[in-house]
Amino acid sequence: TTPGIAAHRAHVAPMHEPGFACIEVADSVTVFVVPHSGAAYPAPVADEGALAVIRDRLDSTRMLTTRVFVARPALRPVAVTAEITSGAGTQEEFLAQLRPILSEYLHPTLGGPLGTGWPFGAALRPSELRRVADRALGETGRVGRVALRLTDIPDSTAEDCTAVAIGPHDLVRLDQLSVI
């Protein structure tokens, strides 16, 4: 709610310093921010000006010995493959039905089970996306299986049973959608 800029969603990571992501740094706090956006913007990214304004506001209210960092979260691209086991429709029709629903469900500020944005650091669960896809198709088709993979990891394998972990402060976005 920083004056002068649009609303942003924030995630606070105590003892996190961007330069030392694998260790805890007692006097550091990182605030990850992502601007609220509509479904037309599936990968919203805070601009440098907004980050600077937020950084200045937090810097003026921080405890003297605390270092505050403001950063963008990583937006991990996800490939989703949905297997349609029954239904009347073509692959293109199923894609047209599923793409907006899954894109919004994985959206950084609109998605997730509560519709308030994908939870920071939350693992991707094939069963959860299967439920969402199945509900989206309604009477037109049934989803038998959903496989997920992060496309920013070369040669990663698709998971259809196991949760796909993302970083503890990361978010996700729909990158690719396939229907088989």
Side-chain angles (χ1 to χ4, degrees), residues 2-79:
T2 301
I5 62 170
H8 283 61
R9 182 171 172 230
H11 167 72
V12 179
M15 300 195 307
H16 180 275
E17 185 174 327
F20 301 99
C22 295
I23 62 170
E24 293 183 343
V25 180
D27 67 344
S28 297
V29 173
T30 299
V31 179
F32 293 94
V33 295
V34 61
H36 282 280
S37 69
Y41 300 98
V45 176
D47 64 55
E48 283 300 325
L51 293 176
V53 170
I54 294 167
R55 192 176 297 116
D56 288 346
R57 181 159 189 217
L58 293 175
D59 190 53
S60 69
T61 60
R62 68 176 173 81
M63 291 186 352
L64 184 60
T65 59
T66 301
R67 296 181 310 153
V68 177
F69 301 91
V70 178
R72 296 178 189 98
L75 293 176
R76 306 293 301 275
V78 179

Side-chain angles (χ1 to χ4, degrees), residues 131-180:
R131 267 193 319 276
V132 171
D134 210 32
R135 199 172 331 147
L137 292 181
E139 299 299 316
T140 63
R142 302 298 302 170
V143 178
R145 178 177 84 88
V146 168
L148 311 170
R149 71 179 187 85
L150 296 173
T151 60
D152 60 350
I153 300 174
D155 302 321
S156 64
T157 58
E159 294 290 342
D160 61 354
C161 292
T162 306
V164 176
I166 62 174
H169 313 294
D170 295 350
L171 292 170
V172 294
R173 65 177 175 81
L174 182 63
D175 184 38
Q176 301 168 16
L177 175 61
S178 305
V179 173
I180 54 173

Side-chain angles (χ1 to χ4, degrees), residues 90-157:
T90 66
Q91 283 184 322
E92 291 76 24
E93 290 170 334
F94 290 132
L95 281 170
Q97 281 182 277
L98 291 176
R99 185 174 306 282
I101 301 297
L102 292 176
S103 183
E104 186 170 321
Y105 193 76
L106 295 172
H107 195 279
T109 62
L110 302 172
L114 301 176
T116 56
W118 186 261
F120 282 88
L124 294 155
R125 291 179 172 70
S127 60
E128 179 180 1
L129 290 184
R130 180 182 175 268
R131 267 193 319 276
V132 171
D134 210 32
R135 199 172 331 147
L137 292 181
E139 299 299 316
T140 63
R142 302 298 302 170
V143 178
R145 178 177 84 88
V146 168
L148 311 170
R149 71 179 187 85
L150 296 173
T151 60
D152 60 350
I153 300 174
D155 302 321
S156 64
T157 58

